[in-house]
Amino acid sequence: MRRRLEESARAFSATARNPSLLRAQLAFGAAWMAEWAFMVAIGVVAFRDGGATAVGVVAFVRMAPSVLLAPVGTAFADRFPRDRVLLWSCLIRAAAMAAAALVLEAGASKVAVYTLAVVATAAFTVFRPAHSALLPGLCRTPLELTSANVVRGLMDSLSTLLGPLAAALLLDLSSPSAVFALVAALSLGSGVLLVRLSYEAPPRGSAQPLRRIVLETVEGFRALVRYRDAGLLLGIGLSQAMTRGFLNVFLVVVALDLLGMGAPGVGVLTAAVGAGAVAGSLGASMLVSGRRLAAVEGIGVALWGLPLTLSGALPYEPAVLALMSVIGIGNALVDVGLFTVVPRLVPEELLARVFGGFEGLVALSVAIGSLLTPFVIDLLGIRGALVVLGLVAPAIVALTWRRLRAIDASIAHRDEEIEVLNKVGIFRPLPMPAIDTLALHVDHAGFAAGQEVFHQGDHGDRFYVIEAGEAEVIGDGHLIRTMGAGDGFGEIALLHDTLRTTTVRARTPLRLYTLDRRHFVRAVNGYQSSAREADTVMVDRLGAFSPQGGLPE
């Protein structure tokens, strides 16, 4: 337990030590606090307009445009700086919500309010996938990425608690228009926090015409099929999204019809979800070094559904409040698992589009769930609908459990390779996506004591990292130095496009990681920080020994 608490503290300190990462996390928290407050207020407005059916229809109409807008919008996040895409998302949402507050306060048509709600939702749909794609670029190691997602999960959880509580307070003291004004202010504040983040953007190919944006968007959906493990994790996440659609309606109907808690009760029930999410996030922080995060996601998805089923069996206010908090715990587990593992299964240059495609499908799943729930309530009653719809997510997790465990085993093996690669000076400046991609393309080789890895004058086609053992570097027949575990060699021939300048021979039995020229050069030259480090290493090595006659052609 002491070790787990120390790991939890490291998760939060990793964010605190990185100013750009800290601002990105705070921006996320403000944006999601606004989202949860907005969801409560728009639900109350719709229920007063036309009961449970209106709540479901408004939720569907609000989410449906995002099915297309999220993938297209996040395609821009794979073209342009992701922090700018996030900033524009916040500004558009702030403007739409400020206008909705004025329209509602003036007593104008509800259609205008719902239209502005659609605009705000469409703008916000881009936020999470673009933020999820930005986050790995602010991190250096798998541990730091997991830590960042733990902290972001806590921000999400606190938002789930504070947003609904703020909405409940404003609904009790004022009106939904006051909640809309709060949403506008929080969205603007989130945008301000994102201005001028400091990070090294990944390399991009040559600029493509904007007319290709549709084709690039389609690539995000294709990747969900091409990278099957990532597609599976995201597919399980969609069952959680549909359950969230069920919950959007149930929170209103259970509070107002089943339990008779009144309009503030919608905020109280939603805040119970947030309270559980905070507890779940603090618990998840102890999983920061865990290597079973795909299974953690599966457990979290199941915990979204089971409490709904139990709420139908135990329709009492204390029990329902406790069960809503369990949903919050599940939400925290899903966030840590899904948004840590998927970026490690998909190429970085596709990441925003993959999350954008996922977000579009999330919007569709939430919309379908919201639209379906009133019909199931009419057919089975509130309690029957809770029991039946709550079983959807757990059933899907049960069917995919074995594959989730296999994904975890694969990630654990790659973490071991990353730990060795991170000892190499050239790789140390690389952000998390780049080093993870290198680990994905690592091959293994072994050499007996006395055997040459390569000979001076050979053609150079691979970079080597010593996993275990010792090697000798020999130039023009003389011993120059010895190398041990964590040392890398072979970069001069690859980066200068020349023949091998020295001979490397196994002094003891050697176990090596090898990287081909293409992946090594792309990673090192693609980032200024690693390119500078590589230049320093080459200058030092050529200063210590330069072949007779200079570098061979």
Side-chain angles (χ1 to χ4, degrees):
M1 177 59 69
R2 180 179 178 181
R3 180 174 60 83
R4 292 287 188 183
L5 289 173
E6 289 173 352
E7 291 169 354
S8 177
R10 282 200 296 271
F12 295 106
S13 64
T15 291
R17 291 193 305 269
N18 186 332
S20 290
L21 182 58
L22 178 60
R23 286 199 284 133
Q25 301 281 36
L26 292 173
F28 182 88
W32 273 90
M33 181 176 173
E35 171 65 10
W36 282 100
F38 175 48
M39 190 181 77
V40 171
I42 197 68
V44 169
V45 170
F47 189 85
R48 289 173 177 173
D49 234 5
T53 300
V55 175
V57 170
V58 168
F60 178 84
V61 172
R62 187 165 69 90
M63 299 300 296
S66 301
V67 176
L68 295 176
L69 292 175
V72 174
T74 48
F76 285 96
D78 277 337
R79 276 175 167 253
F80 304 107
R82 287 163 179 169
D83 50 335
R84 291 187 191 175
V85 175
L86 290 168
L87 175 60
W88 278 107
S89 167
C90 293
L91 294 179
I92 294 171
R93 189 180 187 219
M97 282 290 89
L102 293 174
V103 169
L104 190 62
E105 189 65 22
S109 169
K110 294 291 194 305
V111 174
V113 174
Y114 297 144
T115 301
L116 289 165
V118 170
V119 173
T121 301
F124 183 64
T125 304
V126 177
F127 189 92
R128 187 174 195 121
H131 193 276
S132 299
L134 170 68
L135 210 55
L138 300 174
C139 301
R140 297 290 182 191
T141 65
L143 179 63
E144 192 172 340
L145 178 60
T146 306
S147 300
N149 278 302
V150 165
V151 173
R152 192 177 77 163
L154 179 61
M155 301 302 296
D156 190 346
S157 302
L158 288 170
S159 303
T160 311
L161 172 64
L162 298 177
L165 283 179
L169 179 63
L170 289 173
L171 287 170
D172 192 38
L173 298 176
S174 183
S175 65
S177 60
V179 182
F180 289 168
L182 173 65
V183 172
L186 287 170
S187 300
L188 183 60
S190 178
V192 170
L193 286 166
L194 291 164
V195 174
R196 294 186 179 178
L197 291 183
S198 175
Y199 68 102
E200 190 170 4
R204 293 286 183 257
S206 57
Q208 299 293 322
L210 280 179
R211 64 176 179 272
R212 284 185 49 85
I213 203 73
V214 174
L215 295 176
E216 293 174 4
T217 300
V218 172
E219 288 176 11
F221 286 101
R222 287 177 178 167
L224 297 178
V225 178
R226 190 184 318 146
Y227 301 97
R228 290 181 295 175
D229 287 343
L232 175 66
L233 294 174
L234 294 170
I236 295 171
L238 293 179
S239 69
Q240 179 229 12
M242 183 168 288
T243 306
R244 178 183 164 191
F246 304 154
L247 185 66
N248 285 348
V249 178
F250 281 134
L251 285 171
V252 179
V253 175
V254 169
L256 299 180
D257 278 359
L258 186 63
L259 300 180
M261 298 171 68
V266 180
V268 172
L269 280 184
T270 310
V273 177
V278 172
S281 294
L282 292 173
S285 68
M286 299 184 185
L287 302 173
V288 69
S289 64
R291 293 182 174 177
R292 294 184 291 274
L293 294 180
V296 166
E297 182 203 341
I299 293 169
V301 169
L303 291 180
W304 264 81
L306 289 175
L308 293 181
T309 297
L310 293 174
S311 294
L314 301 167
Y316 310 107
E317 186 174 326
V320 172
L321 284 169
L323 289 166
M324 291 301 103
S325 70
V326 174
I327 291 177
I329 294 172
N331 189 64
L333 298 180
V334 171
D335 282 356
V336 172
L338 180 66
F339 293 105
T340 299
V341 179
V342 170
R344 307 194 58 193
L345 300 174
V346 175
E348 196 279 338
E349 63 270 17
L350 287 172
L351 195 52
R353 278 169 284 173
V354 167
F355 278 129
F358 173 64
E359 197 69 24
L361 294 173
V362 164
L364 179 62
S365 300
V366 172
I368 291 173
S370 300
L371 193 63
L372 178 65
T373 306
F375 293 102
V376 180
I377 290 173
D378 288 340
L379 183 65
L380 302 176
I382 297 174
R383 294 180 62 183
L386 283 164
V387 171
V388 171
L389 295 179
L391 292 174
V392 173
I396 291 174
V397 171
L399 291 172
T400 57
W401 183 253
R402 180 174 294 181
R403 187 58 201 161
L404 294 178
R405 297 294 300 273
I407 292 172
D408 281 333
S410 173
I411 292 292
H413 177 70
R414 201 191 312 172
D415 282 347
E416 294 171 359
E417 295 173 335
I418 289 175
E419 189 173 348
V420 175
L421 292 178
N422 272 328
K423 295 176 182 177
V424 181
I426 292 176
F427 297 150
R428 218 167 283 139
L430 290 174
M432 170 63 203
I435 196 73
D436 206 14
T437 300
L438 281 177
L440 191 62
H441 294 99
V442 158
D443 291 321
H444 298 263
F447 293 85
Q451 186 178 1
E452 289 186 355
V453 179
F454 54 72
H455 191 79
Q456 187 172 356
D458 286 349
H459 173 72
D461 60 353
R462 304 192 76 79
F463 180 76
Y464 299 87
V465 179
I466 299 177
E467 180 189 5
E470 294 183 347
E472 298 173 332
V473 181
I474 301 168
D476 295 336
H478 302 289
L479 177 65
I480 299 170
R481 67 180 183 280
T482 59
M483 299 182 293
D487 287 329
F489 58 93
E491 71 285 339
I492 294 175
L494 302 184
L495 295 175
H496 276 291
D497 195 19
T498 185
L499 301 179
R500 296 296 188 187
T501 57
T502 60
T503 296
V504 175
R505 183 172 61 203
R507 184 177 184 182
T508 67
L510 274 182
R511 294 203 310 270
L512 300 177
Y513 291 171
T514 76
L515 290 162
D516 67 33
R517 173 194 293 268
R518 180 168 62 92
H519 292 108
F520 172 78
V521 173
R522 182 180 181 187
V524 173
N525 285 344
Y527 294 85
Q528 292 183 1
S529 55
S530 59
R532 286 194 299 267
E533 182 66 26
D535 287 341
T536 301
V537 170
M538 287 191 292
V539 167
D540 289 345
R541 289 186 174 177
L542 291 173
F545 169 77
S546 185
Q548 292 179 3
L551 292 180
E553 295 183 0

mmCIF file of all heavy atoms in Angstrom, residues 247-286:
data_model
loop_
_atom_site.group_PDB
_atom_site.id
_atom_site.type_symbol
_atom_site.label_atom_id
_atom_site.label_comp_id
_atom_site.label_asym_id
_atom_site.label_seq_id
_atom_site.Cartn_x
_atom_site.Cartn_y
_atom_site.Cartn_z
ATOM 1 N N LEU A 247 -28.435 6.937 -19.323
ATOM 2 C CA LEU A 247 -28.320 7.673 -18.063
ATOM 3 C C LEU A 247 -28.808 9.109 -18.203
ATOM 4 O O LEU A 247 -29.412 9.658 -17.274
ATOM 5 C CB LEU A 247 -26.860 7.651 -17.593
ATOM 6 C CG LEU A 247 -26.573 8.284 -16.221
ATOM 7 C CD1 LEU A 247 -27.243 7.487 -15.115
ATOM 8 C CD2 LEU A 247 -25.067 8.358 -15.979
ATOM 9 N N ASN A 248 -28.553 9.746 -19.360
ATOM 10 C CA ASN A 248 -29.012 11.122 -19.569
ATOM 11 C C ASN A 248 -30.506 11.262 -19.301
ATOM 12 O O ASN A 248 -30.963 12.251 -18.725
ATOM 13 C CB ASN A 248 -28.711 11.574 -21.004
ATOM 14 C CG ASN A 248 -27.247 11.893 -21.220
ATOM 15 O OD1 ASN A 248 -26.470 11.997 -20.272
ATOM 16 N ND2 ASN A 248 -26.856 12.022 -22.472
ATOM 17 N N VAL A 249 -31.272 10.269 -19.746
ATOM 18 C CA VAL A 249 -32.726 10.295 -19.540
ATOM 19 C C VAL A 249 -33.084 9.839 -18.132
ATOM 20 O O VAL A 249 -33.911 10.452 -17.453
ATOM 21 C CB VAL A 249 -33.422 9.410 -20.593
ATOM 22 C CG1 VAL A 249 -34.934 9.395 -20.368
ATOM 23 C CG2 VAL A 249 -33.107 9.907 -21.997
ATOM 24 N N PHE A 250 -32.435 8.765 -17.673
ATOM 25 C CA PHE A 250 -32.775 8.224 -16.353
ATOM 26 C C PHE A 250 -32.511 9.230 -15.235
ATOM 27 O O PHE A 250 -33.267 9.279 -14.248
ATOM 28 C CB PHE A 250 -31.988 6.938 -16.088
ATOM 29 C CG PHE A 250 -32.553 5.715 -16.761
ATOM 30 C CD1 PHE A 250 -31.729 4.830 -17.443
ATOM 31 C CD2 PHE A 250 -33.908 5.443 -16.703
ATOM 32 C CE1 PHE A 250 -32.238 3.705 -18.066
ATOM 33 C CE2 PHE A 250 -34.445 4.311 -17.323
ATOM 34 C CZ PHE A 250 -33.607 3.438 -18.005
ATOM 35 N N LEU A 251 -31.432 10.025 -15.340
ATOM 36 C CA LEU A 251 -31.145 10.990 -14.280
ATOM 37 C C LEU A 251 -32.304 11.964 -14.089
ATOM 38 O O LEU A 251 -32.640 12.338 -12.950
ATOM 39 C CB LEU A 251 -29.867 11.772 -14.617
ATOM 40 C CG LEU A 251 -28.543 11.024 -14.439
ATOM 41 C CD1 LEU A 251 -27.391 11.829 -15.014
ATOM 42 C CD2 LEU A 251 -28.281 10.710 -12.969
ATOM 43 N N VAL A 252 -32.917 12.373 -15.183
ATOM 44 C CA VAL A 252 -34.046 13.303 -15.100
ATOM 45 C C VAL A 252 -35.308 12.588 -14.643
ATOM 46 O O VAL A 252 -35.998 13.029 -13.723
ATOM 47 C CB VAL A 252 -34.274 13.983 -16.468
ATOM 48 C CG1 VAL A 252 -35.459 14.939 -16.393
ATOM 49 C CG2 VAL A 252 -33.020 14.742 -16.904
ATOM 50 N N VAL A 253 -35.617 11.452 -15.278
ATOM 51 C CA VAL A 253 -36.873 10.743 -15.000
ATOM 52 C C VAL A 253 -36.868 10.150 -13.590
ATOM 53 O O VAL A 253 -37.874 10.231 -12.865
ATOM 54 C CB VAL A 253 -37.102 9.647 -16.059
ATOM 55 C CG1 VAL A 253 -38.337 8.819 -15.723
ATOM 56 C CG2 VAL A 253 -37.234 10.268 -17.442
ATOM 57 N N VAL A 254 -35.750 9.559 -13.183
ATOM 58 C CA VAL A 254 -35.681 8.971 -11.833
ATOM 59 C C VAL A 254 -35.815 10.056 -10.776
ATOM 60 O O VAL A 254 -36.541 9.889 -9.785
ATOM 61 C CB VAL A 254 -34.363 8.184 -11.663
ATOM 62 C CG1 VAL A 254 -34.143 7.809 -10.198
ATOM 63 C CG2 VAL A 254 -34.376 6.934 -12.530
ATOM 64 N N ALA A 255 -35.121 11.186 -10.955
ATOM 65 C CA ALA A 255 -35.188 12.265 -9.961
ATOM 66 C C ALA A 255 -36.584 12.866 -9.874
ATOM 67 O O ALA A 255 -37.103 13.088 -8.767
ATOM 68 C CB ALA A 255 -34.172 13.351 -10.306
ATOM 69 N N LEU A 256 -37.216 13.110 -11.019
ATOM 70 C CA LEU A 256 -38.500 13.827 -11.017
ATOM 71 C C LEU A 256 -39.701 12.906 -10.868
ATOM 72 O O LEU A 256 -40.665 13.260 -10.176
ATOM 73 C CB LEU A 256 -38.635 14.653 -12.304
ATOM 74 C CG LEU A 256 -37.568 15.742 -12.508
ATOM 75 C CD1 LEU A 256 -37.806 16.485 -13.808
ATOM 76 C CD2 LEU A 256 -37.581 16.732 -11.344
ATOM 77 N N ASP A 257 -39.681 11.724 -11.481
ATOM 78 C CA ASP A 257 -40.856 10.845 -11.464
ATOM 79 C C ASP A 257 -40.748 9.710 -10.449
ATOM 80 O O ASP A 257 -41.683 9.457 -9.693
ATOM 81 C CB ASP A 257 -41.080 10.252 -12.858
ATOM 82 C CG ASP A 257 -41.827 11.209 -13.775
ATOM 83 O OD1 ASP A 257 -42.175 12.315 -13.312
ATOM 84 O OD2 ASP A 257 -42.038 10.855 -14.953
ATOM 85 N N LEU A 258 -39.598 8.999 -10.445
ATOM 86 C CA LEU A 258 -39.489 7.814 -9.587
ATOM 87 C C LEU A 258 -39.246 8.175 -8.128
ATOM 88 O O LEU A 258 -39.859 7.586 -7.223
ATOM 89 C CB LEU A 258 -38.363 6.918 -10.093
ATOM 90 C CG LEU A 258 -38.209 5.552 -9.398
ATOM 91 C CD1 LEU A 258 -39.458 4.701 -9.623
ATOM 92 C CD2 LEU A 258 -36.970 4.817 -9.911
ATOM 93 N N LEU A 259 -38.365 9.163 -7.878
ATOM 94 C CA LEU A 259 -38.005 9.504 -6.497
ATOM 95 C C LEU A 259 -38.626 10.811 -6.013
ATOM 96 O O LEU A 259 -38.577 11.104 -4.817
ATOM 97 C CB LEU A 259 -36.478 9.593 -6.367
ATOM 98 C CG LEU A 259 -35.700 8.318 -6.707
ATOM 99 C CD1 LEU A 259 -34.203 8.548 -6.546
ATOM 100 C CD2 LEU A 259 -36.154 7.148 -5.837
ATOM 101 N N GLY A 260 -39.188 11.635 -6.923
ATOM 102 C CA GLY A 260 -39.830 12.891 -6.528
ATOM 103 C C GLY A 260 -38.886 13.876 -5.866
ATOM 104 O O GLY A 260 -39.262 14.558 -4.909
ATOM 105 N N MET A 261 -37.667 14.026 -6.402
ATOM 106 C CA MET A 261 -36.667 14.899 -5.787
ATOM 107 C C MET A 261 -36.726 16.336 -6.315
ATOM 108 O O MET A 261 -36.003 17.201 -5.822
ATOM 109 C CB MET A 261 -35.254 14.334 -6.034
ATOM 110 C CG MET A 261 -35.018 12.965 -5.430
ATOM 111 S SD MET A 261 -33.448 12.220 -5.973
ATOM 112 C CE MET A 261 -32.265 13.310 -5.183
ATOM 113 N N GLY A 262 -37.526 16.617 -7.343
ATOM 114 C CA GLY A 262 -37.619 17.956 -7.905
ATOM 115 C C GLY A 262 -36.440 18.264 -8.829
ATOM 116 O O GLY A 262 -35.507 17.470 -8.968
ATOM 117 N N ALA A 263 -36.471 19.465 -9.450
ATOM 118 C CA ALA A 263 -35.441 19.845 -10.433
ATOM 119 C C ALA A 263 -34.026 19.818 -9.849
ATOM 120 O O ALA A 263 -33.101 19.315 -10.501
ATOM 121 C CB ALA A 263 -35.760 21.217 -11.019
ATOM 122 N N PRO A 264 -33.814 20.347 -8.615
ATOM 123 C CA PRO A 264 -32.453 20.252 -8.072
ATOM 124 C C PRO A 264 -31.985 18.807 -7.899
ATOM 125 O O PRO A 264 -30.786 18.539 -7.888
ATOM 126 C CB PRO A 264 -32.554 20.963 -6.715
ATOM 127 C CG PRO A 264 -33.711 21.889 -6.871
ATOM 128 C CD PRO A 264 -34.692 21.163 -7.745
ATOM 129 N N GLY A 265 -32.944 17.872 -7.779
ATOM 130 C CA GLY A 265 -32.588 16.468 -7.625
ATOM 131 C C GLY A 265 -31.840 15.905 -8.819
ATOM 132 O O GLY A 265 -31.029 14.979 -8.679
ATOM 133 N N VAL A 266 -32.112 16.471 -10.012
ATOM 134 C CA VAL A 266 -31.359 16.036 -11.196
ATOM 135 C C VAL A 266 -29.883 16.346 -10.998
ATOM 136 O O VAL A 266 -29.006 15.520 -11.280
ATOM 137 C CB VAL A 266 -31.896 16.733 -12.465
ATOM 138 C CG1 VAL A 266 -31.114 16.272 -13.692
ATOM 139 C CG2 VAL A 266 -33.388 16.467 -12.645
ATOM 140 N N GLY A 267 -29.592 17.549 -10.494
ATOM 141 C CA GLY A 267 -28.210 17.920 -10.218
ATOM 142 C C GLY A 267 -27.598 17.083 -9.117
ATOM 143 O O GLY A 267 -26.424 16.703 -9.183
ATOM 144 N N VAL A 268 -28.416 16.744 -8.084
ATOM 145 C CA VAL A 268 -27.893 15.962 -6.959
ATOM 146 C C VAL A 268 -27.530 14.548 -7.418
ATOM 147 O O VAL A 268 -26.463 14.020 -7.061
ATOM 148 C CB VAL A 268 -28.931 15.913 -5.810
ATOM 149 C CG1 VAL A 268 -28.489 14.935 -4.726
ATOM 150 C CG2 VAL A 268 -29.120 17.306 -5.216
ATOM 151 N N LEU A 269 -28.403 13.918 -8.208
ATOM 152 C CA LEU A 269 -28.100 12.576 -8.703
ATOM 153 C C LEU A 269 -26.863 12.595 -9.599
ATOM 154 O O LEU A 269 -26.007 11.697 -9.527
ATOM 155 C CB LEU A 269 -29.287 12.015 -9.490
ATOM 156 C CG LEU A 269 -30.459 11.419 -8.706
ATOM 157 C CD1 LEU A 269 -31.486 10.832 -9.667
ATOM 158 C CD2 LEU A 269 -29.983 10.342 -7.738
ATOM 159 N N THR A 270 -26.764 13.609 -10.453
ATOM 160 C CA THR A 270 -25.597 13.711 -11.330
ATOM 161 C C THR A 270 -24.332 13.953 -10.514
ATOM 162 O O THR A 270 -23.264 13.410 -10.814
ATOM 163 C CB THR A 270 -25.797 14.845 -12.352
ATOM 164 O OG1 THR A 270 -27.066 14.698 -12.986
ATOM 165 C CG2 THR A 270 -24.705 14.813 -13.408
ATOM 166 N N ALA A 271 -24.456 14.766 -9.465
ATOM 167 C CA ALA A 271 -23.304 15.019 -8.596
ATOM 168 C C ALA A 271 -22.869 13.754 -7.871
ATOM 169 O O ALA A 271 -21.676 13.578 -7.583
ATOM 170 C CB ALA A 271 -23.637 16.111 -7.587
ATOM 171 N N ALA A 272 -23.815 12.847 -7.584
ATOM 172 C CA ALA A 272 -23.447 11.575 -6.967
ATOM 173 C C ALA A 272 -22.540 10.776 -7.897
ATOM 174 O O ALA A 272 -21.595 10.112 -7.454
ATOM 175 C CB ALA A 272 -24.701 10.770 -6.631
ATOM 176 N N VAL A 273 -22.831 10.847 -9.202
ATOM 177 C CA VAL A 273 -21.933 10.218 -10.181
ATOM 178 C C VAL A 273 -20.535 10.838 -10.062
ATOM 179 O O VAL A 273 -19.518 10.139 -10.062
ATOM 180 C CB VAL A 273 -22.477 10.391 -11.621
ATOM 181 C CG1 VAL A 273 -21.494 9.803 -12.631
ATOM 182 C CG2 VAL A 273 -23.843 9.738 -11.761
ATOM 183 N N GLY A 274 -20.495 12.170 -9.924
ATOM 184 C CA GLY A 274 -19.221 12.865 -9.798
ATOM 185 C C GLY A 274 -18.477 12.503 -8.533
ATOM 186 O O GLY A 274 -17.251 12.347 -8.546
ATOM 187 N N ALA A 275 -19.214 12.352 -7.420
ATOM 188 C CA ALA A 275 -18.559 11.989 -6.158
ATOM 189 C C ALA A 275 -17.895 10.622 -6.272
ATOM 190 O O ALA A 275 -16.757 10.420 -5.826
ATOM 191 C CB ALA A 275 -19.581 11.995 -5.025
ATOM 192 N N GLY A 276 -18.600 9.680 -6.895
ATOM 193 C CA GLY A 276 -17.994 8.368 -7.113
ATOM 194 C C GLY A 276 -16.803 8.449 -8.043
ATOM 195 O O GLY A 276 -15.804 7.747 -7.869
ATOM 196 N N ALA A 277 -16.893 9.331 -9.047
ATOM 197 C CA ALA A 277 -15.795 9.475 -10.000
ATOM 198 C C ALA A 277 -14.546 10.011 -9.320
ATOM 199 O O ALA A 277 -13.425 9.598 -9.648
ATOM 200 C CB ALA A 277 -16.216 10.392 -11.139
ATOM 201 N N VAL A 278 -14.713 10.949 -8.380
ATOM 202 C CA VAL A 278 -13.558 11.472 -7.641
ATOM 203 C C VAL A 278 -12.893 10.348 -6.854
ATOM 204 O O VAL A 278 -11.664 10.173 -6.897
ATOM 205 C CB VAL A 278 -13.976 12.617 -6.701
ATOM 206 C CG1 VAL A 278 -12.820 13.011 -5.795
ATOM 207 C CG2 VAL A 278 -14.455 13.819 -7.502
ATOM 208 N N ALA A 279 -13.707 9.562 -6.146
ATOM 209 C CA ALA A 279 -13.155 8.436 -5.385
ATOM 210 C C ALA A 279 -12.482 7.438 -6.325
ATOM 211 O O ALA A 279 -11.391 6.928 -6.038
ATOM 212 C CB ALA A 279 -14.263 7.754 -4.589
ATOM 213 N N GLY A 280 -13.133 7.178 -7.459
ATOM 214 C CA GLY A 280 -12.544 6.251 -8.429
ATOM 215 C C GLY A 280 -11.235 6.750 -8.998
ATOM 216 O O GLY A 280 -10.300 5.975 -9.206
ATOM 217 N N SER A 281 -11.137 8.056 -9.249
ATOM 218 C CA SER A 281 -9.905 8.624 -9.797
ATOM 219 C C SER A 281 -8.770 8.545 -8.794
ATOM 220 O O SER A 281 -7.621 8.262 -9.152
ATOM 221 C CB SER A 281 -10.138 10.079 -10.207
ATOM 222 O OG SER A 281 -11.035 10.154 -11.281
ATOM 223 N N LEU A 282 -9.078 8.796 -7.533
ATOM 224 C CA LEU A 282 -8.034 8.681 -6.504
ATOM 225 C C LEU A 282 -7.571 7.238 -6.382
ATOM 226 O O LEU A 282 -6.382 6.965 -6.202
ATOM 227 C CB LEU A 282 -8.565 9.196 -5.161
ATOM 228 C CG LEU A 282 -8.833 10.710 -5.104
ATOM 229 C CD1 LEU A 282 -9.513 11.088 -3.795
ATOM 230 C CD2 LEU A 282 -7.535 11.489 -5.280
ATOM 231 N N GLY A 283 -8.517 6.301 -6.497
ATOM 232 C CA GLY A 283 -8.138 4.891 -6.494
ATOM 233 C C GLY A 283 -7.342 4.528 -7.728
ATOM 234 O O GLY A 283 -6.355 3.783 -7.660
ATOM 235 N N ALA A 284 -7.758 5.066 -8.882
ATOM 236 C CA ALA A 284 -7.058 4.767 -10.135
ATOM 237 C C ALA A 284 -5.639 5.303 -10.124
ATOM 238 O O ALA A 284 -4.770 4.779 -10.827
ATOM 239 C CB ALA A 284 -7.826 5.357 -11.315
ATOM 240 N N SER A 285 -5.369 6.345 -9.336
ATOM 241 C CA SER A 285 -4.015 6.888 -9.273
ATOM 242 C C SER A 285 -3.028 5.871 -8.707
ATOM 243 O O SER A 285 -1.823 5.978 -8.919
ATOM 244 C CB SER A 285 -3.995 8.164 -8.412
ATOM 245 O OG SER A 285 -4.243 7.868 -7.049
ATOM 246 N N MET A 286 -3.542 4.875 -7.991
ATOM 247 C CA MET A 286 -2.677 3.820 -7.479
ATOM 248 C C MET A 286 -2.382 2.752 -8.536
ATOM 249 O O MET A 286 -1.613 1.827 -8.303
ATOM 250 C CB MET A 286 -3.312 3.162 -6.243
ATOM 251 C CG MET A 286 -3.519 4.133 -5.089
ATOM 252 S SD MET A 286 -4.148 3.317 -3.605
ATOM 253 C CE MET A 286 -4.423 4.740 -2.540
#
